[in-house]
Amino acid sequence: MRWIFSLLLAWLGYFSLQAQNITQAEYYVDEDQGFGQNTEVQIAQSGNDVTLDFTVDLEGITQGIHTLGVRAKDNNGVWSLTTNRVFLVEEITSVPTITAAEYFIDTDAGFGNNKSIEVSGANEADTLRFNADLTGLTPGIHALYVRVKNANNHWSIVTQRTFVVIDEIERSNIVALNYYYYDEAEETIVGENAYTYSILNPSTNVDITFPANVSALESGKNYLMYVWAVDADNESSLVSTVRLAPFIIGSPIILDRVEVADIVCAGEDEGNATVFASGGEGTLLYSISSDSANYVSTNLFEGLAAGTYTAYVRDNVNTFVVEREFTITAPDELVLTEPIVQGVECPSDNTGSIEISASGGAGSGYQYSLNGNDFEESGVFRGLRADTYLITVRDANRCTKSLEVTVPSSNNALSAPTIRRSEESDFVDELSLIAENIP
C-alpha cells in the first residue's frame, strides 16, 4: 500500500534574515533511525520554500494507527524540527474512489459543511490541488485542515497545516536581533536571553551582517546559534538556527594569496607555489595534500607538475583550517614538423638543403640551430653536403627539441684503384706501379 503526501517545507534565514535553501528531506514511519538515516525524499530543486509531493512506502506496515515523521535539512547542514502526522492503515478488498473533499480554517463546521474542493475523477492516488480562500482572516497564525470522503461515504483523518497571515500594510519595523548559543559537546545553553543587537535603521525588511558577541564561547568547540528578530511591537519572529563549527577564538588565519611559478617547458615537474598567510595562534603550518594532511612549517612547495591544487593553512594550536585553490600551468609540447630535404647528386656536392619549422611550446619566436651552431630565426639551411645533421629548435622560454635529419646523395662514391709494383722482387733498379680496378 502506498500513500501520497504533499508537504510545504519552509526555512527562515539568519543574520540577514534571508532564508536558507532546503537541500535534503527524509521521512520515517513510527521509528526514527536518526538524522539522515531514514527514507530520502527527492528534492527536484532546492529553495527556501519547497513543496514536496512524495509517495510513502507502507510495505510491511501492519493495520492500525501509525505516525509519519518528515523533516528537512538546509545547506548549512542543520535539520528542521520533525513534522508528525498520524494515519490509519486498514485492510480493504477494493480501493474506493474519492468522491468529495473539503477544507476549513481554524474552525470545523462539521463533516460536509466546510468549503468544498473539486475532486472530479479523483482516486486514491490523486493529489488534490486547490486555492484556499483567506478572505477575512486576521493577521497572525492560523491552521488549515483538509479531509476527503470516499465512495463508501467514509471521511478521512484531517490533515493540518499551520500558516501565518501577515498584514503587509501595518507590519512593524524590525528593531533588534536576539540570539544565544548552544554548546553541542556540553549540551548546555550559553547566554540565553543575554545577547541583543539593536538595528540602527529599523525597517520591515532587514538585510544586515552584524558583529555577534562571542566572549562566552570557547575556542575549537562546536556551537549552534539561535537567532530571531524582534519588531517595534515586541513581537518575535520564528527562530533560525546557525551552525558554528569549529568556532575559533583569537586571531583568525588569513590566507592572503598563493603565488605560483608555472612550468617553463612541457613535460617537466618544476612548478612552484608560495602560500602567504598570517594570523592564527602560534606557528602556521602548510599543506597541499588532497586530504589536508602532511603539514609542514615551510610555505614553499616545489617540483609541482601541471594541475590544480588546494593550499591548506592551520596553526599548531587550533584545528581550524583555511584553504585556497591554485593552478600550475605548463606550455604545450614543443613539436618539430616533418623536414623538407633536398639531396645532392654527388657526395662532394654542397647543394643540399633542410627546411623545418616548429609549433607548440611557448608560442612564436622560435630559433633554430644546425649541429650546435648559433641559433638563427630561420629554419632553412642550405649549402649542405650529403651527411646526417642535428637540427635543434628553441622557443621563447629557451626550451629545446632536437631531430636528426639526413641529406642523401643520388650517386655512391667511386671505388679507389688498386696499386701494386710491376716486379715482386725487392732488388730492382726501376719500380713500375700498375693501377687496377679503375672504374
Side-chain angles (χ1 to χ4, degrees):
M1 178 183 297
R2 294 177 180 269
W3 286 44
I4 293 180
F5 290 83
S6 179
L7 295 182
L8 177 64
L9 303 178
W11 208 286
L12 182 66
Y14 67 93
F15 285 4
S16 64
L17 302 185
Q18 300 299 309
Q20 300 302 299
N21 284 335
I22 297 172
T23 60
Q24 185 176 344
E26 66 177 11
Y27 77 86
Y28 61 86
V29 176
D30 296 334
E31 185 177 353
D32 187 355
Q33 301 297 323
F35 292 103
Q37 304 300 315
N38 299 290
T39 303
E40 182 179 2
V41 178
Q42 295 297 322
I43 298 178
Q45 184 174 0
S46 63
N48 55 41
D49 190 348
V50 178
T51 299
L52 300 178
D53 293 323
F54 63 95
T55 300
V56 176
D57 187 2
L58 301 182
E59 186 71 29
I61 302 298
T62 60
Q63 296 185 53
I65 297 176
H66 298 272
T67 301
L68 171 71
V70 183
R71 60 182 166 229
K73 185 175 75 172
D74 70 4
N75 55 357
N76 284 329
V78 179
W79 285 95
S80 70
L81 297 176
T82 301
T83 299
N84 293 305
R85 292 293 180 270
V86 177
F87 63 94
L88 175 66
V89 175
E90 59 180 345
E91 184 178 2
I92 50 179
T93 56
S94 61
V95 179
T97 58
I98 296 173
T99 59
E102 65 178 11
Y103 76 91
F104 58 92
I105 297 175
D106 298 334
T107 304
D108 187 357
F111 292 103
N113 296 321
N114 298 290
K115 294 183 180 181
S116 177
I117 301 172
E118 184 179 354
V119 292
S120 177
N123 57 53
E124 83 287 350
D126 278 347
T127 299
L128 301 178
R129 300 182 183 275
F130 64 96
N131 293 322
D133 184 6
L134 305 184
T135 303
L137 292 182
T138 59
I141 299 176
H142 298 272
L144 170 69
Y145 300 87
V146 181
R147 61 185 167 215
V148 298
K149 184 177 69 173
N150 62 24
N152 294 335
N153 206 34
H154 292 162
W155 284 95
S156 70
I157 297 174
V158 175
T159 298
Q160 178 261 337
R161 295 290 184 273
T162 301
F163 64 95
V164 179
V165 174
I166 300 176
D167 189 343
E168 295 290 343
I169 297 176
E170 299 180 0
R171 188 169 56 175
S172 298
N173 288 336
I174 300 172
V175 297
L177 299 177
N178 289 341
Y179 60 96
Y180 66 89
Y181 304 95
Y182 177 77
D183 187 330
E184 292 188 288
E186 302 295 334
E187 298 184 349
T188 57
I189 292 176
V190 179
E192 185 174 16
N193 300 323
Y195 303 118
T196 298
Y197 175 79
S198 298
I199 296 175
L200 297 178
N201 299 306
S203 173
T204 57
N205 186 11
V206 176
D207 185 355
I208 62 171
T209 299
F210 70 94
N213 187 336
V214 296
S215 59
L217 305 187
E218 297 181 39
S219 180
K221 279 193 171 184
N222 296 336
Y223 292 92
L224 291 176
M225 183 180 187
Y226 294 89
V227 186
W228 65 97
V230 179
D231 65 15
D233 296 326
N234 204 32
E235 296 289 336
S236 297
S237 71
L238 297 176
V239 177
S240 178
T241 305
V242 183
R243 183 176 296 278
L244 309 175
F247 199 88
I248 301 300
I249 307 298
S251 175
I253 297 174
I254 300 175
L255 204 169
D256 181 57
R257 68 191 187 279
V258 179
E259 293 185 357
V260 301
D262 292 320
I263 294 172
V264 176
C265 300
E268 297 182 358
D269 295 343
E270 58 178 19
N272 297 334
T274 305
V275 183
F276 291 90
S278 60
E281 302 293 328
T283 303
L284 291 181
L285 303 173
Y286 306 85
S287 172
I288 60 170
S289 298
S290 59
D291 56 355
S292 182
N294 302 321
Y295 282 91
V296 294
S297 58
T298 177
N299 66 334
L300 173 62
F301 298 91
E302 300 179 289
L304 303 180
T308 299
Y309 299 82
T310 301
Y312 302 93
V313 183
R314 56 160 293 185
D315 58 35
N316 63 346
V317 177
N318 301 306
T319 59
F320 184 66
V321 176
V322 295
E323 61 184 70
R324 178 169 298 181
E325 192 175 88
F326 66 92
T327 301
I328 299 292
T329 64
D332 295 333
E333 182 182 358
L334 185 59
V335 178
L336 284 169
T337 61
E338 186 68 25
I340 300 173
V341 180
Q342 176 65 51
V344 297
E345 290 292 330
C346 297
S348 59
D349 293 346
N350 60 351
T351 56
S353 66
I354 299 173
E355 182 177 346
I356 197 168
S357 61
S359 62
S364 60
Y366 303 109
Q367 293 182 318
Y368 305 86
S369 170
L370 180 70
N371 287 345
N373 295 322
D374 292 342
F375 281 91
E376 303 173 359
E377 294 184 359
S378 174
V380 179
F381 301 94
R382 305 185 187 281
L384 304 179
R385 295 178 180 275
D387 203 347
T388 297
Y389 298 88
L390 181 66
I391 306 296
T392 302
V393 63
R394 71 181 181 190
D395 61 13
N397 289 344
R398 305 186 73 83
C399 303
T400 61
K401 186 69 173 288
S402 298
L403 178 68
E404 286 190 344
V405 181
T406 298
V407 175
S409 172
S410 300
N411 298 316
N412 294 326
L414 299 178
S415 300
T418 300
I419 306 297
R420 66 179 179 83
R421 294 181 300 180
S422 59
E423 298 290 341
E424 295 297 332
S425 174
D426 294 329
F427 305 100
V428 293
D429 294 331
E430 293 182 2
L431 177 63
S432 298
L433 299 179
I434 300 176
E436 297 180 340
N437 300 323
I438 299 177

